[in-house]
Amino acid sequence: MTSVIRAFGSEVLKFRRWSVLAGTGAMVLVSTFIAYLTFHQIASGATGKEMTGLIEAFRTPQGLVAVIGQARSVIIAIALIMVAANLASEWTLGTLRNLLVLQPHRLRWLAGKMLALVLFVLLSMLLTLVVSGAFILILAPGQGIRTEAWTSADGLGIFVEFLGNEALCLVGISALGMLVAVLTRSVVTAVGVGLAYILVLEGIIAVVAPEVSQWFPGRVFNTIVGATVPMVGPTPLQGYPAALGAALLWIVGLVVVSAIVFPRQDVKA
């Protein structure tokens, strides 16, 4: 356990690098901008079929979450890039060999590194949602929008539930990013394969065979959040309990496969 903590501590120190913090900055800025655009459209009276649900939810306790949740695809994509690129860079930069000399127990090192990466992803997500939510709450009175429903007990309860499901979603995305990085061992390939799978491949399968795609990891991780607030993502076709169970199984499976593959790989300088 001590070696895991040491690996965790050494990775936490890397969070101070500008290249790492840039991911958090991009997540906050882009998500806040998307939330602002969504809010501005609704507040200015925009209409359209795609806006109907958002407009109906806007003045309810779900309103704030419905607005800031429109940037979820960006949060998921950046989280996947953070994990896959950070882990795969150990091979690309040739630093993995030196790290394993200091910590020869590979799984302990991987566990410490992934705990640090997941913590960073979750803190980035929390900062993003808090900043974008606070920004919308500050803008609302100037547009004549009442926010009592958003900050009511029901509204805060919905936000907390949304936050919990989003955290579980990003833990799953992080596990997926870990497996892709371990299999590809290249930053460019890991990021490209990860994004192509999440954004393209599963989307195509969802159109062709939705009954099958609903059990794929990306869809499962995404839909558990949509079960809380349908306006921020697709609702699980199999129901929330089944989707939650599938999400947990996928996380365990991704971690187990990574733990089997990683110790058996050759590591070259």
Side-chain angles (χ1 to χ4, degrees):
M1 188 63 181
T2 302
S3 54
V4 174
I5 296 174
R6 288 175 180 172
F8 172 84
S10 66
E11 289 302 319
V12 168
L13 293 176
K14 298 178 182 179
F15 293 171
R16 296 176 297 180
R17 295 176 179 175
W18 71 266
S19 58
V20 177
L21 294 175
T24 301
M27 187 183 291
V28 172
L29 291 176
V30 176
S31 297
T32 302
F33 180 65
I34 292 174
Y36 166 74
L37 288 181
T38 303
F39 172 82
H40 178 71
Q41 281 185 299
I42 299 174
S44 61
T47 59
K49 185 177 180 180
E50 70 282 357
M51 297 288 295
T52 302
L54 278 172
I55 294 171
E56 292 176 351
F58 189 61
R59 299 183 186 276
T60 72
Q62 293 186 354
L64 181 61
V65 172
V67 171
I68 64 176
Q70 296 306 304
R72 285 194 61 246
S73 59
V74 172
I75 294 175
I76 289 174
I78 293 178
L80 180 62
I81 293 171
M82 283 180 176
V83 174
N86 191 294
L87 183 55
S89 67
E90 303 295 0
W91 281 277
T92 300
L93 299 176
T95 54
L96 182 58
R97 186 181 182 88
N98 293 333
L99 289 169
L100 294 181
V101 169
L102 298 173
Q103 175 49 266
H105 299 285
R106 293 191 183 191
L107 292 184
R108 296 178 187 177
W109 173 81
L110 182 62
K113 184 175 182 68
M114 284 306 301
L115 285 174
L117 285 175
V118 170
L119 174 63
F120 184 72
V121 165
L122 294 182
L123 289 176
S124 298
M125 177 269 290
L126 178 61
L127 178 63
T128 296
L129 295 180
V130 169
V131 169
S132 58
F135 183 66
I136 297 303
L137 285 171
I138 292 172
L139 284 180
Q143 298 293 323
I145 306 297
R146 301 178 64 87
T147 61
E148 288 85 352
W150 299 351
T151 56
S152 66
D154 288 342
L156 293 176
I158 290 171
F159 181 83
V160 171
E161 187 177 354
F162 167 69
L163 192 64
N165 284 327
E166 184 72 357
L168 180 58
C169 171
L170 293 188
V171 170
I173 292 297
S174 298
L176 179 61
M178 172 179 63
L179 178 59
V180 172
V182 168
L183 292 176
T184 61
R185 294 183 286 181
S186 164
V187 172
V188 175
T189 306
V191 171
V193 170
L195 291 178
Y197 175 76
I198 289 292
L199 301 178
V200 180
L201 182 59
E202 283 203 6
I204 294 174
I205 297 174
V207 174
V208 177
E211 298 81 6
V212 176
S213 70
Q214 66 179 324
W215 298 107
F216 281 30
R219 301 292 291 181
V220 168
F221 298 147
N222 192 26
T223 56
I224 58 174
V225 183
T228 305
V229 184
M231 293 300 101
V232 302
T235 303
L237 300 176
Q238 66 272 60
Y240 179 74
L244 178 60
L248 295 174
L249 287 175
W250 270 115
I251 291 172
V252 172
L254 292 168
V255 170
V256 169
V257 174
S258 298
I260 292 173
V261 173
F262 181 59
R264 290 167 172 76
Q265 291 177 319
D266 292 331
V267 177
K268 299 179 182 179

